[in-house]
């Protein structure tokens, strides 16, 4: 594979995988998946991450993974979004199985792979071992890959900024997603003088860090809240939200901070409930996936606590609802 470009700058959505009930349990809900994907593209989202943590990749078979990517690619093409960026996640521990998933993802229509750091043996794995794992994947991967650093789902495995610098200099490793709260690590990677940032792009995985992440050189966000409020996150990224507050704020920066504050408040839903909170927000706000179910061990439908739990989040979400509506207009 020749040297390739990283995903474009912007806001991406790690889309949830939608399921429906069937006599045998649950199956993929391709119609809802397609509807959501096309909605996000039309709302200005730069690209989609399929089969990530939010996409419940660990709950899908290899055949389901391939079918999901093919369905989304077909729906986007039909809607006129040709070559729309699709990043396919992998959550496997072995180099060989990761390579298999990456080949299948390419054949199905994805352009990049997002490889979760292997964390099963995290307490005894050295940085050199992680470097060798990612370089081994990159060497034979059918797709250019991104490093996915999410300690919360990978046994708190650590990838240091120095390790990321080394990986960034592999021509087949074109970016990273940092789903942790260490803005200092974002800074050390996104502003590193040892990295060619035209060939390796750093994304935050947390919309609540979008503004500070951009100020230290990050190329955007791969953010769960954007699944329900895409225009708000895109607006924060490209400064359109500043127009909403600029009359009241002292400066464009102050206005952008107001936008980030609203987003950060709403992101607490994602922090608290993860994929369940994201799905519930999509159902309630966009009326997409209203009949969907979850695959065990996640709860069958909705948030634990039902309507009472959702009502607690209404004040947190109200401000972004207003922003979304104004940007839609």
């Amino acid at each position: 594979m020749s040297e390739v470009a990283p995903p474009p700058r912007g806001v991406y959505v790690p889309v949830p995988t939608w399921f429906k009930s069937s006599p045998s349990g649950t199956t993929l809900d391709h119609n809802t998946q397609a509807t959501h994907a096309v909605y996000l593209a039309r709302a200005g989202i730069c690209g989609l991450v399929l089969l990530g943590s939010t996409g419940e990749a660990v709950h899908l078979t290899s055949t389901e993974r391939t079918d999901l990517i093919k369905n989304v690619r077909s729906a986007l093409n039909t809607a006129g979004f040709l070559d729309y960026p699709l990043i396919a996640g992998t959550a496997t521990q072995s180099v060989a199985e990761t390579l298999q998933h990456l080949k299948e993802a390419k054949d199905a229509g994805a352009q990049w792979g997002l490889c979760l750091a292997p964390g099963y043996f995290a307490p005894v794995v050295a940085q050199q071992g992680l470097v060798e794992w990612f370089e081994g994947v990159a060497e034979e991967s059918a797709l250019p890959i991104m490093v996915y650093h999410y300690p919360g789902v990978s046994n708190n495995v650590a990838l240091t900024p120095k390790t990321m610098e080394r990986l960034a200099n592999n021509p087949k490793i074109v970016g990273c997603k940092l789903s942790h709260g260490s803005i200092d690590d974002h800074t050390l990677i996104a502003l590193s003088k040892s990295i060619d940032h035209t060939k390796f792009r750093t994304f935050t995985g947390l919309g609540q860090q979008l503004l500070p992440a951009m100020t230290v050189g990050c190329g955007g966000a791969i953010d769960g809240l954007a699944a329900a409020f895409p225009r708000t996150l895109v607006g924060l990224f490209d400064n359109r939200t500043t127009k909403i507050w600029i009359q009241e704020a002292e400066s464009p920066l102050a206005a952008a901070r107001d936008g980030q504050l609203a987003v950060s408040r709403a992101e607490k839903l994602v922090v608290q409930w993860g994929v369940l909170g994201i799905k519930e927000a999509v159902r309630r706000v966009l009326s997409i996936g209203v009949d969907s179910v979850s695959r065990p061990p996640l709860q069958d439908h909705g948030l634990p606590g039902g309507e009472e739990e959702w009502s607690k989040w209404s004040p947190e979400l109200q401000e972004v609802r207003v922003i979304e509506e104004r940007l839609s207009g």
Side-chain angles (χ1 to χ4, degrees), residues 61-79:
T61 66
S62 291
T63 299
E64 287 175 325
R65 289 168 179 247
T66 299
D67 288 347
L68 187 147
I69 298 171
K70 286 181 177 178
N71 170 68
V72 170
R73 174 58 72 199
S74 176
L76 289 166
N77 286 347
T78 299

Side-chain angles (χ1 to χ4, degrees), residues 167-222:
L167 293 175
N169 283 287
N170 186 308
K172 298 178 181 179
I173 302 177
V174 297
C176 63
K177 175 188 178 185
L178 306 179
S179 293
H180 56 63
S182 300
I183 200 67
D184 53 335
D185 280 6
H186 286 67
T187 304
L188 291 169
I189 297 166
L191 292 179
S192 171
K193 304 300 185 183
S194 300
I195 296 175
D196 182 346
H197 298 287
T198 66
K199 298 177 180 178
F200 182 92
R201 189 150 287 144
T202 302
F203 292 90
T204 181
L206 304 171
Q208 55 267 50
Q209 293 181 337
L210 179 54
L211 185 59
M214 287 194 298
T215 65
V216 297
C218 288
I222 301 172

Side-chain angles (χ1 to χ4, degrees), residues 87-111:
I87 303 170
T90 67
T92 57
Q93 297 292 305
S94 75
V95 170
E97 189 175 6
T98 301
L99 290 171
Q100 177 185 340
H101 283 217
L102 290 167
K103 182 181 184 305
E104 291 169 351
K106 179 183 179 181
D107 293 343
Q111 298 107 309

Side-chain angles (χ1 to χ4, degrees), residues 8 12 58 68 79-80 92 131 151-152 189 199 204 212 227 229 231 259 271 280 329:
Y12 293 71
V58 294
L68 187 147
T92 57
V131 168
I189 297 166
K199 298 177 180 178
T204 181
F229 300 98
R231 291 177 178 85
V271 173
E280 190 68 3

